[in-house]
Amino acid sequence: MLSATGWGTLAGGAALTTVGYAFGYGEAAALGVTCLLAVAVAFGWALPAPVLGAERRIAPSRVGRGDPAEGVVTLTNTGGRTRRGLRAVDRCGDRDIAVDVPPLPPGAAHELRYALPTARRGRVPVGPLRLERADPLGLVRRMRPYGAPDTLLVRPRVCPLPVLPSGQAHHVEGPSSDSADDGSLTFHALREYVLGDDLRRVHWPSTARTGTLMVRQMVDASLPHTTLVLDTRRRAYAAEDDFELAVDCAASIAYAAARHHFPVHLVNETGPLLHTDGAGRDGEALLDGLAVVRRSDAAFLATAFDGLDNHRGGGALVVVTGTADTPGLSGVERVRRRFDRVTVLRVGAGAAATRDESGPVSDVPRLRVASLDELLAGWRREAAR
């Protein structure tokens, strides 16, 4: 295809040639013919398709917001002559990323690396990869796609937080996953022996009956449960960056609980978003789910608490909201007695991470947070309280 320069050269050459021959201007005609020949030679230069192998991968394919991610392209010249003038162009989101390719001798391979944008959460489509070959004057270029599109998942940023102590969880069934932490208070189930298990927990009757060494799995019935209300209403946040910080805060709190194999229930004003039961990779699932959470046009936060009226009791309730619209926080009063501990995070730029006891529920701790560093400091104080 012709570049903008190529189209200009072609149009100028045609006009000069026509005017030169029509009015007898030999110099104009010669210049016009030269322009047309340059375009013809450029087509001949770019026409042969390069015989190349191309492979692109994203490293890593999942990344926290603002963390580095790279596209890695490996090009191999499978033809019989050196290839020059190549450029790799990869589509990332709504923009192109172009990287020049050095001359590739026959059989040679070269690895290209380029940064991918990670400033915003979400699924970022990457590709398809295109290889462009242009003539030295930049009049004509040939493009050829390679491979299939890929996806970069930009997840929320997280900071390491402690889990808030929240009393007993008022149930004795224990976690539903064998990968959950062992306790010492309540019998949960029998399972096969794993190297390192305490031999004092071997259940000999079951071992004799099945022929397999079986042990008792004990759980701690007081393991904290975390219920997280994330306010995603557009009107609750003064700026887009405030909402992104709120999602980062929610992700940090949820990930801290899931990392310790504690159940997490996440809701917003439209209903349940995510639920985990303490399995081994719950933290990764929570981050993947929060990567695609978007702002809503809902008017009231109080609807987020409707589904908590029937909460069986216990655990911690954490509400993450902004600083722009607060009347919906009165819904905390309706459900607070069903939880052992309630904390409200007010997220907004310029706020200080201090306890704020004002508002619809005066005796519920309310932290004002303007950065993840402030969340970490305020959360540690809250956990020690």
Side-chain angles (χ1 to χ4, degrees):
M1 59 181 296
L2 284 171
S3 65
T5 304
W7 281 111
T9 303
L10 180 63
L16 288 171
T17 302
T18 301
V19 170
Y21 279 108
F23 295 98
Y25 295 113
E27 294 82 357
L31 182 58
V33 170
T34 302
C35 291
L36 295 178
L37 286 175
V39 173
V41 172
F43 266 108
W45 180 284
L47 186 60
V51 184
L52 295 174
E55 180 181 350
R56 188 244 293 109
R57 61 185 175 87
I58 299 175
S61 59
R62 288 176 168 83
V63 67
R65 184 171 66 92
D67 292 340
E70 288 185 324
V72 182
V73 175
T74 303
L75 297 177
T76 305
N77 185 358
T78 57
R81 59 183 190 142
T82 300
R83 294 296 177 182
R84 293 182 174 85
L86 294 176
R87 186 172 67 161
V89 181
D90 213 359
R91 186 75 174 175
C92 187
D94 57 355
R95 66 188 183 97
D96 288 336
I97 300 175
V99 183
D100 291 330
V101 181
L104 285 178
H110 183 74
E111 185 177 85
L112 303 174
R113 289 179 174 269
Y114 47 91
L116 299 176
T118 62
R120 291 294 178 185
R121 289 178 305 107
R123 298 184 184 277
V124 182
V126 180
L129 175 70
R130 307 191 308 271
L131 285 181
E132 295 185 356
R133 185 168 188 262
D135 66 283
L137 297 178
L139 302 179
V140 177
R141 60 179 181 173
R142 180 190 180 106
M143 292 186 298
R144 182 179 179 184
Y146 284 84
D150 208 339
T151 302
L152 168 66
L153 184 64
V154 181
R155 308 194 295 189
R157 295 174 57 203
V158 296
C159 62
L161 299 179
V163 179
L164 289 182
S166 57
Q168 293 189 345
H170 303 297
H171 68 91
V172 296
E173 291 86 358
S176 60
S177 170
D178 288 340
S179 63
D181 289 349
D182 278 347
S184 59
L185 300 181
T186 307
F187 171 75
H188 172 47
L190 291 173
R191 60 172 174 81
E192 292 186 11
Y193 173 84
V194 177
L195 185 63
D197 282 340
D198 188 348
L199 292 178
R200 291 174 296 180
R201 294 185 180 179
V202 174
H203 191 257
W204 295 110
S206 298
T207 299
R209 185 172 61 254
T210 62
T212 302
L213 197 59
M214 305 294 290
V215 296
R216 300 179 183 88
Q217 183 182 10
M218 310 299 288
V219 297
D220 188 346
S222 64
L223 294 178
H225 290 55
T226 301
T227 300
L228 192 60
V229 176
L230 174 60
D231 189 352
T232 60
R233 296 173 303 138
R234 192 177 304 274
R235 63 191 301 175
Y237 300 93
E240 179 71 21
D241 288 342
D242 291 349
F243 174 67
E244 291 299 321
L245 177 58
V247 177
D248 292 345
C249 292
S252 298
I253 296 166
Y255 187 75
R259 185 165 50 89
H260 290 84
H261 306 299
F262 300 150
V264 177
H265 184 54
L266 178 64
V267 301
N268 70 350
E269 64 278 357
T270 63
L273 291 178
L274 296 165
H275 179 77
T276 63
D277 58 3
R281 294 187 59 82
D282 281 350
E284 301 301 316
L286 285 167
L287 294 181
D288 288 350
L290 285 169
V292 295
V293 168
R294 292 291 177 261
R295 302 170 76 177
S296 76
D297 294 322
F300 304 105
L301 176 62
T303 55
F305 302 100
D306 291 345
L308 304 181
D309 289 330
N310 297 324
H311 180 72
R312 58 186 173 183
L317 172 64
V318 182
V319 181
V320 181
T321 185
T323 59
D325 184 61
T326 60
L329 289 178
S330 58
V332 176
E333 179 64 32
R334 195 171 75 243
V335 300
R336 56 175 302 207
R337 300 190 184 281
R338 307 196 67 84
F339 295 89
D340 297 319
R341 189 164 189 161
V342 180
T343 305
V344 176
L345 263 65
R346 301 288 305 282
V347 179
T354 58
R355 289 275 300 275
D356 176 9
E357 303 295 346
S358 63
V361 188
S362 60
D363 58 344
V364 170
R366 299 159 63 88
L367 298 179
R368 295 180 65 88
V369 176
S371 69
L372 283 183
D373 290 338
E374 293 183 355
L375 169 66
L376 178 58
W379 196 259
R380 284 176 174 171
R381 289 195 298 269
E382 204 59 35
R385 184 173 63 88

